[in-house]
Amino acid sequence: MIAPEPPTIVAELPSESEARARLRWQSIGWALLAGVSAGLMSLPWGLEMAIRSGGCGLFYGLLAFHLQRVDPDDSHLQAGLVGAICGVRSLGLPLSLENLRTDALALLIVELLQAWLPLIGSALLLNGLHRFLPASRP
C-alpha cells in the first residue's frame, strides 16, 4: 500500500513593491505614534510646546524605525538617538541668558524637563509597544 503524499503548502511571498509599501506604512506609523504621543504629553505646557514636541517626536519615530531595521540589538545607539533628538529639541527652547537671576538654574531645569519628558515618554512608548507586539517588527 502506498502512503498518500503529504499536502504541499505553498506560501506566496509578497513582491518587493508590496514589502516596500508595508515598510513605508510601518515607518509612517512609528513616526505618527511618536509624534502624536510626544505632542499630547507636552500639551499641558501649551500649544506651541506641543507642536514643537510633536515635530521632534515625528522625527524620532522615523529614525527609530529605520535604526530598528539596521541594528535592532544596539540599545546604546537607540538611547543615543533619544538623547540626540532631545538635544535638537533643547536648541529650540526660548531661553534668555540676558537676565540671569538666582533661579535661572531652576528655570533651565524646568524648561529642559518640559522639552525632554515628552520625547523620552514617546521613546518609551515605542520601545514598549515594539517589545510587546512582536508581529510589528520590521
Side-chain angles (χ1 to χ4, degrees), residues 15-131:
S15 69
E16 185 176 335
S17 63
E18 290 173 345
R20 285 181 159 280
R22 184 180 58 79
L23 288 174
R24 193 175 304 120
W25 280 111
Q26 283 181 333
S27 175
I28 291 169
W30 278 45
L32 288 175
L33 179 63
V36 168
S37 64
L40 288 176
M41 285 182 219
S42 62
L43 195 57
W45 291 296
L47 186 60
E48 181 182 351
M49 188 71 85
I51 291 171
R52 288 175 184 248
S53 294
C56 287
L58 280 169
F59 188 55
Y60 169 76
L62 284 174
L63 291 174
F65 175 78
H66 294 288
L67 173 66
Q68 187 65 32
R69 287 189 61 215
V70 172
D71 192 359
D73 297 325
D74 193 346
S75 60
H76 287 79
L77 191 56
Q78 292 174 7
L81 175 62
V82 173
I85 299 299
C86 287
V88 168
R89 173 67 181 94
S90 297
L91 292 175
L93 286 177
L95 294 176
S96 173
L97 299 177
E98 296 170 358
N99 53 355
L100 289 176
R101 300 181 305 230
T102 56
D103 62 340
L105 182 60
L107 181 65
L108 176 67
I109 291 172
V110 167
E111 288 184 2
L112 285 176
L113 286 176
Q114 288 175 347
W116 286 46
L117 281 180
L119 292 172
I120 292 171
S122 177
L124 289 173
L125 176 71
L126 274 180
N127 192 21
L129 283 176
H130 179 75
R131 297 231 184 255

